[in-house]
């Protein structure tokens, strides 16, 4: 125009794979919901701020022509609709009891506005009791949704993941008592961290950040993840990602008995008390090491697989003794207290589990092992710690007998009854008999990416 001020032209390239919404921009008066003076269009994109954190960003394109703006709007919407992995409808579970009872606030203040901006329809269930999400998943019309989202801690996420996989078995006409070859989950699962530790969210996103998690869901970033089945010789107990037997399980069991305490205090108390009463579990561990075929031709691979299948019974290994803790993990299990992960030598989808066995040792040495989880030092470089890469594990606890039996009964009534505590994804489970853990490769899709691959994308590179 006639302005004497020279406008500095700025050029910016926006890749459509980073855009998740486009809206017509209008000036409206207070209280006006429709109409208004057209100003142009606004493009909302996902911005990587570094250190695995994502945020949303608005780019305003100004133009007063209705036809011009409508043309751009339709064209950009057409491109956005072409991204197949992006959800249009989500089933959302919110656990109002998670951590400091902030899950509802996190969802409605930080997550729901992003879903609305991306034109994602949501059906929200605020859970009222343990197992509520599981019962809803068994009955709801899952085919009406592109994905399921859980807003809560590790226990809530574990329940929803278990429900999704259990529903898959039911829909496929498979029994749920004994599952040897599980059916994949029908829809992806999104995890919005609102708990205390949020191990699965940390592992998926490398950070506890609700907006980052929500944007991974909005953008349709999908990661296939391995899942474990936990079962007795006669029945399936549950699906899960990780488990601890011994110290990790006893700590959780004690924390659950003190639910009246605030979350952080309860967990600190249980940790210190269990450490003070440190006792090993006597059990027998049987495990099947991961068989890695040599890359020396298809025929040799086929023969090796046949030999592995025929000789699998001979390849089981056994160790028996007194163990302070046994960890079985199909994912690295990152958290703020263990930045390298509780099982740093495994990954989200390599088809294996990490078996970490801590044999009986002094309290001082055990504390040294635990402290190393918070540092970059190798937490496994102790003579009393053994690690294995496995496909399957059997854990058979043994009740104490003789002079120690009375002491055992006083110390742990659950063990005296033959019900040993297990910590499965932050959820307490008690089981009397042998527990068999088997990994199933890429059984469920989760919204998220490996933190090493955060920069990569399979989307088509259309640009503005």
């Amino acid at each position: 125009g006639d302005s004497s001020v020279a406008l500095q032209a700025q050029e910016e390239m926006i890749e459509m794979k980073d855009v998740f919404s486009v809206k017509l921009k209008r000036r409206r008066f207070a209280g006006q919901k429709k109409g208004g003076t057209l100003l142009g269009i606004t493009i909302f994109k996902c911005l990587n701020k570094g250190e695995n954190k994502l945020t949303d960003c608005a780019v305003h394109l100004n133009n007063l022509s209705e036809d011009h703006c409508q043309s751009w709007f339709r064209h950009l919407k057409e491109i956005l609709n072409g991204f197949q992995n992006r959800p249009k409808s989500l089933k959302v579970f919110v656990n109002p009891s998670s951590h400091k009872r902030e899950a509802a606030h996190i969802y409605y203040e930080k997550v729901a506005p992003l879903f609305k901006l991306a034109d994602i329809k949501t059906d929200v269930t605020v859970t009222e009791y343990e197992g509520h999400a599981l019962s809803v998943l068994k009955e709801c019309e899952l085919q009406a949704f592109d994905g399921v989202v859980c807003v809560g801690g590790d226990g809530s996420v574990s329940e929803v993941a278990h429900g999704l996989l259990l529903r898959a078995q039911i829909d496929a006409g498979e029994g749920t008592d004994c599952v040897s070859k599980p059916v994949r989950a029908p829809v992806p699962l999104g995890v919005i961290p609102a708990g205390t530790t949020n191990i699965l969210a940390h592992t998926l996103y490398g950070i506890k950040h609700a907006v980052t998690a929500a944007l991974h869901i909005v953008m349709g970033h999908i990661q296939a993840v391995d899942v474990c089945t936990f079962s007795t010789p006669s029945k399936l107990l549950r699906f899960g990602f990780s488990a601890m037997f011994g110290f990790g399980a006893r700590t959780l069991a004690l924390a659950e008995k003190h639910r009246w305490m605030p979350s952080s205090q309860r967990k600190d108390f249980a940790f210190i008390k269990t450490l003070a009463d440190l006792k090993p579990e006597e059990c027998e561990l049987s495990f099947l090491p991961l068989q890695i075929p040599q890359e020396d031709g298809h025929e040799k691979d086929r023969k090796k697989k046949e030999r592995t299948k025929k000789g699998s019974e001979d390849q089981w290994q056994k160790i028996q003794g007194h163990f302070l803790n046994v960890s079985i993990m199909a994912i690295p299990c990152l958290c703020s207290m263990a930045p390298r992960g509780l099982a740093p030598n495994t990954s989200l989808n390599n088809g294996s589990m990490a078996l970490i066995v801590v044999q009986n040792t002094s309290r001082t040495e055990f504390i040294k092992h635990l402290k190393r989880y918070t540092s970059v030092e190798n937490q496994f470089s102790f003579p009393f710690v053994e690690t294995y890469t496995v496909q399957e594990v059997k854990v058979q606890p043994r009740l104490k007998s003789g002079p120690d039996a009375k002491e055992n009964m006083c110390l742990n009534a659950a063990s005296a009854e033959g019900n040993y505590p297990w910590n499965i994804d932050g959820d307490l489970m008690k089981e009397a008999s042998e527990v068999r853990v088997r990994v199933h490769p890429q059984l469920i899709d989760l919204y998220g990416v490996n933190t090493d691959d955060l920069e990569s994308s399979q989307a088509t590179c259309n640009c503005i």
Side-chain angles (χ1 to χ4, degrees):
D2 298 329
S3 173
S4 60
V5 180
L7 296 176
Q8 182 68 37
Q10 292 183 338
E11 184 176 297
E12 177 184 357
M13 183 180 75
I14 302 173
E15 295 188 23
M16 285 302 295
K17 70 179 182 64
D18 298 326
V19 175
F20 65 90
S21 180
V22 57
K23 302 290 183 182
L24 290 170
K25 181 183 177 183
R26 298 181 185 275
R27 181 187 292 119
R28 293 190 175 117
F29 296 107
Q32 184 180 359
K33 295 183 179 180
K34 293 184 179 181
T37 304
L38 180 70
L39 301 176
I41 63 173
T42 300
I43 294 169
F44 297 90
K45 68 173 184 175
C46 178
L47 183 65
N48 188 346
K49 295 191 70 175
E51 297 182 346
N52 301 324
K53 184 178 286 188
L54 303 181
T55 188
D56 57 303
C57 174
V59 178
H60 303 287
L61 304 180
N62 299 326
N63 194 293
L64 302 182
S65 166
E66 186 82 32
D67 291 341
H68 197 68
C69 289
Q70 288 287 353
S71 176
W72 270 75
F73 178 77
R74 286 194 301 270
H75 184 61
L76 294 177
K77 288 286 287 185
E78 184 179 339
I79 295 174
L80 291 181
N81 290 334
F83 294 105
Q84 298 298 319
N85 285 339
R86 297 190 181 181
K88 302 291 190 297
S89 177
L90 293 170
K91 176 65 186 174
V92 180
F93 292 97
V94 179
N95 180 2
S97 302
S98 288
H99 193 34
K100 299 177 181 178
R101 301 182 180 276
E102 58 188 12
H105 172 77
I106 287 173
Y107 175 71
Y108 288 110
E109 295 296 322
K110 297 181 179 181
V111 178
L114 287 172
F115 287 172
K116 183 178 180 180
L117 196 58
D119 297 321
I120 298 174
K121 296 179 181 178
T122 56
D123 181 73
V124 181
T125 296
V126 178
T127 57
E128 300 174 0
Y129 53 87
E130 186 178 349
H132 188 182
L134 179 61
S135 62
V136 171
L137 282 170
K138 286 182 178 179
E139 302 295 332
C140 76
E141 299 292 333
L142 269 183
Q143 63 269 21
F145 303 103
D146 299 315
V148 172
V149 173
C150 178
V151 187
D154 291 324
S156 304
V157 175
S158 178
E159 179 184 328
V160 173
H162 172 67
L164 273 176
L165 287 162
L166 207 60
R167 175 64 184 270
Q169 315 314 308
I170 295 170
D171 289 348
E174 302 288 337
T176 56
D177 290 336
C178 186
V179 179
S180 57
K181 292 184 178 180
V183 181
R184 288 189 96 244
V187 293
L189 170 62
V191 180
I192 305 293
T196 305
T197 52
N198 304 287
I199 282 177
L200 193 57
H202 267 281
T203 306
L204 281 169
Y205 316 126
I207 192 173
K208 178 189 175 182
H209 190 236
V211 171
T212 294
L215 285 171
H216 278 298
I217 296 169
V218 167
M219 302 300 289
H221 297 158
I222 290 179
Q223 171 69 54
V225 177
D226 299 340
V227 178
C228 302
T229 49
F230 298 86
S231 58
T232 66
S234 60
K235 65 176 181 178
L236 171 72
L237 299 174
R238 68 178 301 152
F239 294 94
F241 303 96
S242 64
M244 284 187 282
F245 178 79
F247 177 80
R250 285 179 179 271
T251 301
L252 178 62
L254 186 59
E256 288 296 311
K257 288 182 179 179
H258 294 77
R259 273 279 174 184
W260 52 271
M261 297 174 67
S263 177
S264 58
Q265 293 180 22
R266 176 174 74 239
K267 293 186 177 181
D268 289 345
F269 164 78
F271 180 84
I272 294 170
K273 177 67 173 172
T274 308
L275 198 57
D277 297 333
L278 190 63
K279 298 288 181 182
E281 296 282 8
E282 182 181 357
C283 63
E284 179 182 276
L285 301 176
S286 304
F287 59 91
L288 184 61
L290 179 68
Q291 303 296 324
I292 304 176
Q294 298 177 354
E295 296 182 3
D296 52 1
H298 294 293
E299 186 62 23
K300 289 186 178 181
D301 282 351
R302 184 183 62 80
K303 290 181 179 179
K304 186 174 181 65
K305 288 179 181 178
E306 289 178 356
R307 289 197 302 271
T308 299
K309 188 175 181 180
K310 291 177 181 177
S312 59
E313 291 300 322
D314 299 330
Q315 291 164 0
W316 279 87
Q317 297 182 22
K318 290 184 180 180
I319 50 176
Q320 186 173 339
H322 294 79
F323 308 115
L324 291 177
N325 193 67
V326 177
S327 298
I328 307 166
M329 299 177 171
I331 61 175
C333 294
L334 277 67
C335 65
S336 58
M337 298 300 294
R340 293 178 62 247
L342 299 177
N345 296 329
T346 188
S347 68
L348 287 170
N349 58 2
N350 64 353
S352 70
M353 299 182 294
L355 171 62
I356 304 165
V357 181
V358 182
Q359 297 181 358
N360 193 19
T361 187
S362 67
R363 185 180 291 106
T364 302
E365 290 297 301
F366 184 63
I367 291 173
K368 286 181 183 178
H369 161 66
L370 294 180
K371 280 186 174 180
R372 284 199 182 176
Y373 277 104
T374 63
S375 70
V376 295
E377 293 183 85
N378 186 352
Q379 62 265 45
F380 309 129
S381 61
F382 293 96
F384 55 87
V385 180
E386 299 176 9
T387 61
Y388 307 90
T389 302
V390 300
Q391 302 175 68
E392 200 169 337
V393 181
K394 298 176 186 177
V395 181
Q396 177 63 65
R398 298 190 181 278
L399 281 169
K400 291 182 180 179
S401 58
D404 294 334
K406 187 174 181 180
E407 178 190 4
N408 184 64
M409 186 175 296
C410 296
L411 286 171
N412 194 333
S415 295
E417 296 167 3
N419 293 318
Y420 289 84
W422 280 79
N423 180 341
I424 299 181
D425 297 329
D427 241 0
L428 181 64
M429 182 186 76
K430 292 184 178 180
E431 186 55 44
S433 60
E434 172 188 283
V435 173
R436 183 172 185 169
V437 188
R438 181 185 297 171
V439 66
H440 303 275
Q442 303 184 20
L443 197 59
I444 191 170
D445 287 330
L446 298 183
Y447 285 111
V449 294
N450 276 321
T451 52
D452 293 337
D453 302 329
L454 201 57
E455 299 290 339
S456 65
S457 175
Q458 297 179 354
T460 305
C461 183
N462 295 311
C463 300
I464 298 175

